[in-house]
Amino acid sequence: MTDESLSLPLTEVVVPENQDEMARQMKHCFEQSQAVYPLGGETSLHYGLPATVPGLGLSTKSLNQIVDFPERDLTITVEAGIPMKTLSGTLAAAGLMLPLDVPQAASASLGAVIATNTNGPRRFGLGTVRDYVIGVRAINGKGQIFNGGGRVVKNVAGYDFCKLLTGSMGTLGIITQVTLKVKPIAEKTTTILATVPAAAEVESAIEHMLVSGSTPVALEWLVGTLWEDLLGIKSSGSGFFAVKLAGTNEELAWSESQVLRELEEAGLCSGHIIDQPQQDQLWAAVHEFPAKEVELMLQIKTVSSGVISVVQTCREIDEFCTIQATAGDGVVTVAFDKIPDTGVSGALIAQLAPIAARFHGHVETFRNRSGSELTSGSVWGRLSAPQFLQERIKEQFDPRGLLNPGRFVFQ
């Protein structure tokens, strides 16, 4: 990271060669009450509150081996430091996939993807990180190894470790090994693209797709000149609607005509199937969008019915913002090239947070280059569980508060 505001206050970085060495190092830090910052591919250091407590960087980069791969069982067990691109290549060679669309996949580690709960466009049709992690091994804040789920023994009663560690930002444990369920690669994928004349038509399109027999794997509403330049098409200002389909040739022959008809009924314009190179280019850009270097990037997480209001509010804040909305899931990622005139808190608290709350969601600051107005409320938004419950769980796993201190929701 080049941004000084995003750097971690590391006293040194240690790269253990194996999981046992990782545990010994963590136990030593516990005995010394030394803060620890778990490191993977270091692609998500911008996410979360800025760290202020000096501490040791503990890297999983050497924990990158395939532990077990029974292909016929559609599962794989790997160490958590494996880069996502390496994992995807191993699976693809066997005709399999893990349908998580991760930016900077050549560097991003599996453990970090789980710790940050990073998903992508295909979450609509194929599920999220939590749906694929079936076993996990991790090291808690006392240097103790614990296991849960999958083909490993669950030795701590009461917690679903797989789900608990997903999205925990490395504050409950350092993930060292993961068992995943995987899927066969579809015979064919296609993408239908249409222009959006007005927001109301997107609402109708989402409604059609939610009940469509075509079962799309991804629905994206893309607004901004970035997407116009990429596609070489001018929109009315309301952007484009992209539907990704996957299946056999026979399935797609029917699904394509079904989706084209339904998008036309919804009022979208110029619906057409894009060619393979353009499809690859489009989805690569969508996958990488959350890693875009901008002044401010927010992620608003609601339900699908909230997408229209969220996007409209974002454009009221800044008509030149760039938006990638995973429309079927209600996740809107918006990039601002400059801090809004109302400031970060003004844009979040006064304008976007009430809209998100109305649709059962909240707003997160995904990237803030300036480092201004970074508080727990502005970064993480409204908490989904009472603070005291989260603190009690934290105490069970990390009683001295050594793991990633100050960066997540814990005080």
Side-chain angles (χ1 to χ4, degrees):
M1 303 295 292
T2 58
D3 251 323
E4 185 177 341
S5 64
L6 300 179
S7 61
L8 297 174
L10 302 179
T11 55
E12 63 174 316
V13 175
V14 176
V15 188
E17 291 298 317
N18 55 59
Q19 297 180 52
D20 290 336
E21 185 182 336
M22 176 82 75
R24 286 193 294 270
Q25 184 66 58
M26 186 65 232
K27 183 177 181 181
H28 175 73
C29 291
F30 174 72
E31 292 169 347
Q32 301 297 315
S33 293
Q34 181 179 20
V36 172
Y37 294 97
L39 302 173
E42 301 181 38
T43 60
S44 299
L45 297 185
H46 59 276
Y47 191 40
L49 288 161
T52 58
V53 180
L56 179 76
L58 207 49
S59 174
T60 62
K61 285 187 177 180
S62 293
L63 308 184
N64 55 17
Q65 300 301 302
I66 306 294
V67 177
D68 189 23
F69 188 15
E71 298 176 19
R72 292 184 179 180
D73 292 342
L74 298 181
T75 64
I76 186 170
T77 300
V78 296
E79 291 186 313
I82 190 169
M84 292 299 292
K85 186 174 182 179
T86 303
L87 175 59
S88 295
T90 298
L91 293 172
L96 300 171
M97 66 173 181
L98 177 67
L100 303 177
D101 305 308
V102 176
Q104 300 173 289
S107 300
S109 67
L110 173 63
V113 167
I114 296 169
T116 56
N117 193 21
T118 300
N119 298 283
R122 287 183 293 174
R123 64 181 292 162
F124 175 71
L126 299 177
T128 66
V129 173
R130 284 186 170 91
D131 298 311
Y132 291 93
V133 179
I134 59 174
V136 68
R137 176 177 295 169
I139 300 166
N140 67 17
K142 295 179 283 189
Q144 299 168 331
I145 296 175
F146 62 94
N147 303 297
R151 296 193 302 275
V152 295
V153 178
K154 182 174 181 179
N155 60 7
V156 180
Y159 292 116
D160 183 339
F161 291 135
C162 298
K163 290 181 171 59
L164 192 61
L165 291 175
T166 300
S168 66
M169 287 286 291
T171 57
L172 302 180
I174 303 172
I175 300 171
T176 60
Q177 184 172 302
V178 183
T179 299
L180 303 158
K181 66 179 181 180
V182 295
K183 288 180 172 290
I185 295 175
E187 183 178 319
K188 182 182 179 182
T189 61
T190 59
T191 297
I192 294 172
L193 185 73
T195 56
V196 179
E201 280 71 26
V202 172
E203 186 170 15
S204 179
I206 294 172
E207 291 174 355
H208 276 76
M209 293 298 101
L210 288 175
V211 298
S212 176
S214 61
T215 61
V217 297
L219 304 176
E220 292 292 315
W221 181 16
L222 308 170
V223 183
T225 56
L226 169 70
W227 309 112
E228 293 181 345
D229 294 342
L230 177 73
L231 295 166
I233 306 171
K234 289 295 181 182
S235 72
S236 63
S238 296
F240 306 95
F241 197 74
V243 181
K244 189 172 189 177
L245 301 166
T248 64
N249 286 312
E250 291 77 10
E251 288 170 336
L252 291 191
W254 179 84
S255 294
E256 289 166 354
S257 61
Q258 177 78 0
V259 169
L260 285 167
R261 180 179 61 79
E262 290 172 339
L263 293 183
E264 184 178 0
E265 289 176 356
L268 272 62
C269 307
S270 307
H272 63 286
I273 301 167
I274 60 178
D275 60 30
Q276 191 65 47
Q278 192 174 37
Q279 176 180 221
D280 294 342
Q281 184 181 33
L282 173 63
W283 292 109
V286 170
H287 299 167
E288 292 299 321
F289 182 71
K292 184 175 173 59
E293 291 283 349
V294 293
E295 191 67 24
L296 177 67
M297 183 172 288
L298 306 178
Q299 194 164 81
I300 304 94
K301 298 178 179 179
T302 66
V303 293
S304 60
S305 57
V307 168
I308 308 302
S309 296
V310 168
V311 170
Q312 289 177 326
T313 303
C314 288
R315 299 206 70 203
E316 289 170 6
I317 294 170
D318 181 357
E319 63 178 316
F320 300 110
C321 66
T322 305
I323 298 170
Q324 177 231 327
T326 304
D329 294 289
V331 180
V332 179
T333 305
V334 54
F336 299 95
D337 288 329
K338 63 177 183 178
I339 299 293
D341 293 339
T342 55
V344 177
S345 295
L348 282 170
I349 299 171
Q351 294 173 271
L352 282 170
I355 300 295
R358 188 190 309 165
F359 293 97
H360 315 289
H362 66 283
V363 185
E364 294 179 3
T365 299
F366 200 73
R367 185 186 299 272
N368 182 346
R369 181 182 289 173
S370 71
S372 64
E373 300 181 74
L374 288 176
T375 65
S376 182
S378 69
V379 171
W380 297 114
R382 184 169 58 95
L383 298 180
S384 59
Q387 183 77 24
F388 79 91
L389 287 180
Q390 300 192 54
E391 296 288 354
R392 287 178 63 180
I393 293 171
K394 171 70 169 174
E395 288 171 6
Q396 295 295 312
F397 288 85
D398 183 23
R400 295 185 180 174
L402 303 179
L403 290 169
N404 235 359
R407 302 206 65 217
F408 196 33
V409 297
F410 306 109
Q411 301 300 314

